Amino acid sequence: MTTVQLFVTCLVDSFYPQSGEAVVEILRRLGLDVEFPSDQTCCGQPNFNAGLRAEARPIAEHTIRVFEKTTGDIVIPSGSCAHMIKHGYAELFANDPVWLPRVQALASRVYEFTEYLVDKLGVTDLGARWDGMLTYHPSCHTLRGMNIDRQPRALLANVRGATVVELPHAEECCGFGGIFSMEHPELSAEWLKRKIGNLEATQSPTLVVTEAGCRMHIAGGLRRQKKKQRVVHIAEVLNNR
């Protein structure tokens, strides 16, 4: 049996464990043995994006050490965390001849969840069912950082009972952007307002995302505005049968 490692991410672990559980159930249903290194922590992205490279480095080193002890591909239900390990670490350790090869070896094992299903396993139909309309928000790191877009769309296209409608201006940021939402709250709020307006224009009751950060930000805005739409991670849609 093929073994894969789950890097669950901070936000999924703390706020949306059901997304992580859906990922595990899907991978197991596909015949994979899913392992979860219990000493994994944050990937270091918040510090890295804030320019705190010295603070990000020990967190990254810990992640590298943890997963060096494991075998198999590393599946991450977040394009931003996958991007950090695949690309951010290479920048963080660019001038370190000892750590850079270790970073590169780890990066070669990392896949965002939908990327792994479609590109590595060749799976686009999981027998999922979701009655009603769905619309998809492509998160910034997933879309531009990882160049992942056709994969989640291909998976959603095969969800039985679902009518997938295009989100207007889908490629625009929702306003979360990690620490961006804290450093520039006025801009973040305006972008969130536009994203919610575009969601309403679709008349879809459900917005599908690949990032817990986007999920939290958009769902929070909907709740504050007393809107009825919901935001779900794509794994939860694909695990619905």
Side-chain angles (χ1 to χ4, degrees), residues 18-240:
Q18 68 272 23
S19 298
E21 291 167 0
V23 169
V24 171
E25 289 175 12
I26 288 169
L27 294 175
R28 285 178 175 167
R29 203 162 64 238
L30 293 171
L32 300 170
D33 180 30
V34 184
E35 294 183 351
F36 178 82
S38 59
D39 48 352
Q40 62 181 278
T41 59
C42 177
C43 66
Q45 182 188 161
N47 301 81
F48 180 83
N49 288 350
L52 303 174
R53 304 301 169 89
E55 290 79 1
R57 180 172 174 126
I59 303 173
E61 289 178 358
H62 176 76
T63 298
I64 295 166
R65 290 192 185 99
V66 167
F67 284 93
E68 279 181 335
K69 300 174 186 176
T70 69
T71 60
D73 295 324
I74 302 166
V75 180
I76 306 179
S78 162
S80 61
C81 295
H83 181 270
M84 178 62 188
I85 297 176
K86 287 186 75 73
H87 304 291
Y89 282 13
E91 182 179 338
L92 190 61
F93 295 94
N95 298 317
D96 191 320
V98 175
W99 279 93
L100 185 58
R102 298 171 70 174
V103 165
Q104 293 168 335
L106 184 67
S108 68
R109 299 169 55 198
V110 168
Y111 293 86
E112 183 271 337
F113 173 60
T114 65
E115 175 191 30
Y116 189 72
L117 292 178
V118 176
D119 295 349
K120 187 65 184 283
L121 301 183
V123 173
T124 56
D125 191 342
L126 289 160
R129 182 169 193 88
W130 191 281
D131 295 325
M133 296 174 66
L134 296 171
T135 191
Y136 171 65
H137 163 65
S139 302
C140 294
H141 273 105
T142 304
L143 177 63
R144 285 177 277 276
M146 295 287 289
N147 196 29
I148 293 170
D149 190 51
R150 63 177 175 79
Q151 297 93 331
R153 293 181 184 276
L155 290 159
L156 290 174
N158 285 312
V159 175
R160 291 158 180 77
T163 301
V164 182
V165 295
E166 186 66 20
L167 180 68
H169 307 290
E171 72 286 350
E172 292 184 357
C173 179
C174 70
F176 180 62
I179 62 169
F180 176 87
S181 59
M182 293 179 280
E183 292 182 334
H184 305 283
E186 296 84 2
L187 283 173
S188 175
E190 184 59 30
W191 288 353
L192 175 60
K193 179 181 176 181
R194 288 164 57 177
K195 184 62 64 176
I196 290 175
N198 289 329
L199 169 59
E200 289 186 303
T202 68
Q203 298 185 342
S204 172
T206 307
L207 177 68
V208 182
V209 297
T210 58
E211 295 278 355
C214 296
R215 178 181 190 171
M216 180 181 294
H217 190 59
I218 300 171
L222 289 168
R223 185 171 58 253
R224 289 189 298 274
Q225 295 181 32
K226 295 181 170 52
K227 306 288 186 181
K228 295 182 179 180
Q229 293 90 339
R230 58 186 294 206
V231 188
V232 299
H233 190 280
I234 192 170
E236 294 169 54
V237 174
L238 299 176
N239 198 43
N240 195 65

